[in-house]
Amino acid sequence: MSCHRIDELLELLEPVWQKHQDLNLTQMLAKLAEEAGFTGPLAELTDDVLIYHLKMKETGEGKMIPGIAKDYVEDFDWKGAILKARGFDDSER
């Protein structure tokens, strides 16, 4: 795991751990794994599962994933985008 992922995980973990200061690290990871629906052994829990769960934990049901929301465009014109990518001017139609 690279340093930026460790930093991201620690940043996301800190506020949750502050609420459950009585837990040690292993207990906190087991709690998060259970919340995320992870059923395998704790040794197989990946940082991706933890990061995704911690990011989505505070997001309401039915909300868009934060990383996708920034790129979302309402009523995107796929046909126009494909024509433009192929070199056709959309106004020529």
Side-chain angles (χ1 to χ4, degrees):
M1 183 164 49
S2 61
C3 287
H4 76 278
R5 293 192 52 87
I6 293 170
D7 292 339
E8 181 180 17
L9 183 57
L10 291 175
E11 182 181 320
L12 292 167
L13 187 59
E14 182 180 7
V16 176
W17 209 350
Q18 289 293 331
K19 293 177 185 173
H20 305 282
Q21 294 181 7
D22 56 318
L23 302 177
N24 65 39
L25 179 59
T26 306
Q27 292 169 327
M28 177 56 70
L29 293 176
K31 175 180 174 40
L32 291 171
E34 182 181 327
E35 288 176 3
F38 182 80
T39 57
L42 198 55
E44 293 178 9
L45 181 65
T46 64
D47 55 319
D48 292 328
V49 170
L50 290 170
I51 290 170
Y52 179 80
H53 177 66
L54 288 167
K55 282 184 176 181
M56 295 304 293
K57 186 176 175 72
E58 302 302 320
T59 306
E61 180 99 9
K63 295 283 185 168
M64 192 173 298
I65 298 169
I68 293 175
K70 68 179 176 59
D71 297 327
Y72 179 73
V73 177
E74 184 98 19
D75 298 325
F76 186 73
D77 179 20
W78 288 101
K79 184 178 178 183
I82 291 170
L83 289 172
K84 185 175 180 181
R86 292 187 175 173
F88 295 100
D89 188 6
D90 193 30
S91 62
E92 293 176 0
R93 289 193 271 160

